[in-house]
Amino acid sequence: MKFVSTRGKNEPVSSARAIYQGLAKDGGLFVPESIPQLSLQDIDSLRAMPYHERADFIIGKFLTDYSAQELGYATSSAYSNSNFPEQVAPVVNIDGEYSVLELWHGKTSAFKDMALQILPYLLTIAMKKEQIDQQVLILVATSGDTGKAALEGFQDVPGTRIVVFYPEDGVSDIQKLQMATQQGDNVHVFAVKGNFDDTQTGVKNIFANEQMNEQIEKLGYKFSSANSINWGRLVPQIVYYFSAYVDLVQEKVLELGDKVNFCVPTGNFGNILAGYYAKCMGLPVNKFICASNANNVLTDFINQGVYDRNRPFYQTNSPSMDILISSNLERFIYLLSGQDSKLVADYMQQLNSNGRYEIAPDLLRKVRETMSGYCYDDAQTCSQIKQVYESKKYLMDTHTAVAYKAAADYRTQSGDPTHTVILSTASAFKFSQDVLMSLDQDIAALDSFEQNRLLSKLSAQSVPTRIAALETAPVRHQTVIDKEEMFASIKSIL
Ligand SMILES: *Cc1c(COP(=O)(O)O)cnc(C)c1O
């Protein structure tokens, strides 16, 4: 299987090269040349497998230049009991209509672990295959969850260093502490004055700057990315869509061949796009529901066919979705347009120069056949947490709540009775302050850890061990920089 650029101007490369390189040379994103097809029997065969074997099966369809041994090592190490102590990605049936796919049972209590535990294996194997003798320098811009998950994934991985930038005021207290206390000799963390888009733009500019790349190469390093523009981040996310489906067949909620809907709390469009790849591979999916917060650029895109980032940026109580440029939408348009790389390059050029583009009516029709979009403000998010907690005894975080409400509104408005899987992307304990306020608790006098203990009492769930341990963990990283200082900070640590 070869990988090509969404913008059509990169020669086809192996999967190892695509993962190692991250971004195509023409500025596009790597996509597989064709999409492997699974039959219902193939899908059914996943049912008897533990998660890591399901991952092996699905990822192996794309990374055909990795040997069975290499891939088996990567999947069994990444999805081991020590990384996912309970289950990897359990599906919880809330009632007849909805299930919740819990993607936060990994080390950092957010769904980013699903991909970032395996990416370092995929990347270091790729480097060996490509005979790269430089060290990889992973740059990450994070709105909170990616940074910590990438730090955990890359901690002390030989041949790699990782630098994480996060917006100083754009992440929760727990998220900040998770990053500030990160252990490891190859990890560096900087808080940046500004919002997430400033931080992300800063990292993208460094990647694109030839002089900066040269300076880094002279020091013996090569930049790479752990953001979801990297195919190695995306491909592991396809697995849990299949995994959820066969678990629901196993539990007799579905019969093999039945269609399902997936409702996804969306930011950079990576998670939901992985679901669309699963559908293209043969997973029976009826509709994707794209759930956003007040940064509703995707909702407008799905409803009107205009992507317009020229709008105010809001800091919301679901910060991992506070994004105005959803990078992976580029791959979706590529797929829906019948792999029309000229069209994609044209839209991206418009986005770059005017901050907006409008898709053709027939393309919009395809978007709307595949997907519905909904968006909610913070107050609606909070009341959804409360309602589901009181009526179903299920506690969810703010991101999941946005999706839950979208699933419910879609069901009412469309009349579509298809069983809907809601993707739960973070543990409630990562956002306890907002969750407790949603439940009308008075938390003014409580610090983050007291809040977590209260949440634990209310929910009868224990605080995830690694979050509880932050209370006594030493802070190792506390540098705050201006956004103009990002490159200088990188050089300072090499
Ligand atoms: C990253 C993240 C999202 C958004 O996922 P995308 O793949 O960027 O669309 C949603 N919720 C949480 C908790 C996240 O960490």
Side-chain angles (χ1 to χ4, degrees):
M1 169 86 61
K2 292 283 186 195
F3 287 76
V4 293
S5 165
T6 46
R7 301 189 195 172
K9 297 231 168 70
N10 202 102
E11 75 284 2
V13 297
S14 67
S15 65
R17 181 82 217 177
I19 289 172
Y20 165 65
Q21 200 174 310
L23 200 64
K25 290 208 183 83
D26 59 4
L29 306 185
F30 282 117
V31 281
E33 234 171 12
S34 62
I35 296 182
Q37 297 297 308
L38 300 190
S39 66
L40 280 182
Q41 280 80 357
D42 290 333
I43 295 173
D44 199 35
S45 74
L46 298 172
R47 217 185 327 165
M49 301 179 191
Y51 191 90
H52 71 90
E53 286 177 22
R54 293 175 182 173
D56 204 47
F57 185 90
I58 301 290
I59 299 173
K61 299 279 175 201
F62 291 94
L63 309 195
T64 50
D65 51 329
Y66 286 60
S67 71
Q69 200 186 2
E70 286 168 336
L71 210 53
Y73 170 68
T75 51
S76 57
S77 311
Y79 302 111
S80 65
N81 273 342
S82 60
N83 288 344
F84 295 86
E86 305 146 38
Q87 284 164 285
V88 182
V91 188
V92 181
N93 199 219
I94 296 291
D95 56 28
E97 297 176 333
Y98 306 113
S99 299
V100 176
L101 171 58
E102 295 182 344
L103 298 172
W104 38 260
H105 290 274
K107 283 181 162 176
T108 74
S109 302
F111 97 101
K112 301 296 194 291
D113 291 327
M114 300 302 299
L116 282 165
Q117 279 300 322
I118 190 167
L119 180 66
Y121 292 100
L122 299 180
L123 184 63
T124 45
I125 294 169
M127 284 159 59
K128 236 182 252 153
K129 289 178 167 304
E130 293 283 306
Q131 303 181 326
I132 307 292
D133 43 20
Q134 287 151 310
Q135 293 215 42
V136 208
L137 180 57
I138 308 285
L139 293 192
V140 182
T142 184
S143 55
D145 293 330
T146 302
K148 177 60 181 179
L151 289 164
E152 280 291 340
F154 282 97
Q155 175 189 343
D156 293 327
V157 172
T160 71
R161 306 258 315 243
I162 172 163
V163 185
V164 170
F165 297 99
Y166 70 87
E168 188 188 11
D169 299 317
V171 303
S172 79
D173 291 344
I174 292 287
Q175 286 177 317
K176 199 176 273 192
L177 257 185
Q178 279 186 312
M179 291 187 273
T181 56
Q182 179 66 41
Q183 300 281 331
D185 291 333
N186 64 338
V187 303
H188 309 275
V189 180
F190 296 98
V192 181
K193 294 180 196 155
N195 64 35
F196 172 65
D197 274 340
D198 295 328
T199 314
Q200 189 172 37
T201 305
V203 165
K204 278 188 184 161
N205 289 345
I206 294 172
F207 276 132
N209 186 310
E210 272 179 35
Q211 284 166 345
M212 292 181 180
N213 277 275
E214 274 168 25
Q215 287 187 44
I216 292 300
E217 280 186 37
K218 277 201 197 113
L219 295 167
Y221 292 89
K222 189 134 184 61
F223 284 134
S224 190
S225 160
N227 283 89
S228 59
I229 52 174
N230 192 318
W231 180 256
R233 251 295 286 278
L234 205 72
V235 67
Q237 299 184 352
I238 300 173
V239 178
Y240 49 73
Y241 286 90
F242 284 99
S243 177
Y245 186 88
V246 296
D247 282 350
L248 287 172
V249 172
Q250 183 69 17
E251 287 164 24
K252 302 202 160 48
V253 177
L254 299 177
E255 279 184 43
L256 187 68
D258 283 352
K259 289 195 170 178
V260 274
N261 296 333
F262 287 103
C263 182
V264 188
T266 300
N268 222 2
F269 209 78
N271 198 0
I272 196 166
L273 178 77
Y276 183 65
Y277 269 103
K279 178 179 179 172
C280 295
M281 292 171 76
L283 188 68
V285 180
N286 179 44
K287 201 93 178 182
F288 290 97
I289 303 152
C290 175
S292 304
N293 61 27
N295 296 296
N296 58 358
V297 61
L298 286 166
T299 322
D300 288 350
F301 173 74
I302 293 165
N303 289 331
Q304 287 136 31
V306 178
Y307 194 93
D308 189 351
R309 63 151 307 188
N310 303 305
R311 60 178 71 211
F313 176 89
Y314 298 106
Q315 277 192 353
T316 73
N317 61 9
S318 46
S320 302
M321 294 148 65
D322 290 349
I323 289 177
L324 291 181
I325 300 183
S326 301
S327 312
N328 271 297
L329 192 61
E330 178 168 349
R331 286 185 167 117
F332 186 56
I333 293 173
Y334 177 82
L335 286 171
L336 276 188
S337 67
Q339 320 210 330
D340 188 342
S341 54
K342 265 175 77 179
L343 185 78
V344 172
D346 179 39
Y347 288 159
M348 293 307 130
Q349 170 60 38
Q350 291 181 42
L351 181 64
N352 208 9
S353 27
N354 312 327
R356 92 191 273 285
Y357 60 92
E358 178 165 5
I359 58 171
D362 61 323
L363 194 53
L364 177 59
R365 190 173 42 74
K366 286 187 197 159
V367 170
R368 295 178 55 83
E369 273 167 19
T370 313
M371 208 167 270
S372 290
Y374 292 86
C375 60
Y376 302 104
D377 63 22
D378 283 8
Q380 291 171 308
T381 306
C382 291
S383 62
Q384 189 66 29
I385 292 176
K386 183 173 182 200
Q387 193 212 316
V388 173
Y389 175 73
E390 287 174 351
S391 63
K392 321 256 188 207
K393 294 281 157 286
Y394 187 77
L395 184 72
M396 44 187 188
D397 90 296
T398 45
H399 304 77
T400 310
V402 171
Y404 204 109
K405 182 153 178 57
D409 285 350
Y410 167 76
R411 192 173 206 87
T412 321
Q413 286 171 21
S414 67
D416 173 5
T418 310
H419 187 80
T420 298
V421 178
I422 296 157
L423 278 72
S424 178
T425 47
S427 155
F429 290 95
K430 241 181 143 164
F431 300 94
S432 16
Q433 182 175 343
D434 291 299
V435 172
L436 285 166
M437 279 174 2
S438 307
L439 304 179
D440 300 326
Q441 299 293 313
D442 179 8
I443 52 163
L446 305 183
D447 71 20
S448 299
F449 298 101
E450 291 161 339
Q451 288 170 12
N452 274 342
R453 285 190 279 273
L454 175 60
L455 194 59
S456 171
K457 226 164 56 196
L458 293 174
S459 66
Q461 293 174 29
S462 45
V463 184
T465 10
R466 285 167 162 272
I467 290 187
L470 294 173
E471 195 163 5
T472 51
V475 169
R476 302 184 68 224
H477 313 275
Q478 44 194 347
T479 314
V480 183
I481 60 168
D482 285 321
K483 59 185 181 198
E484 293 76 22
E485 295 175 322
M486 291 170 66
F487 185 63
S489 317
I490 295 169
K491 281 211 309 200
S492 75
I493 51 102
L494 297 179

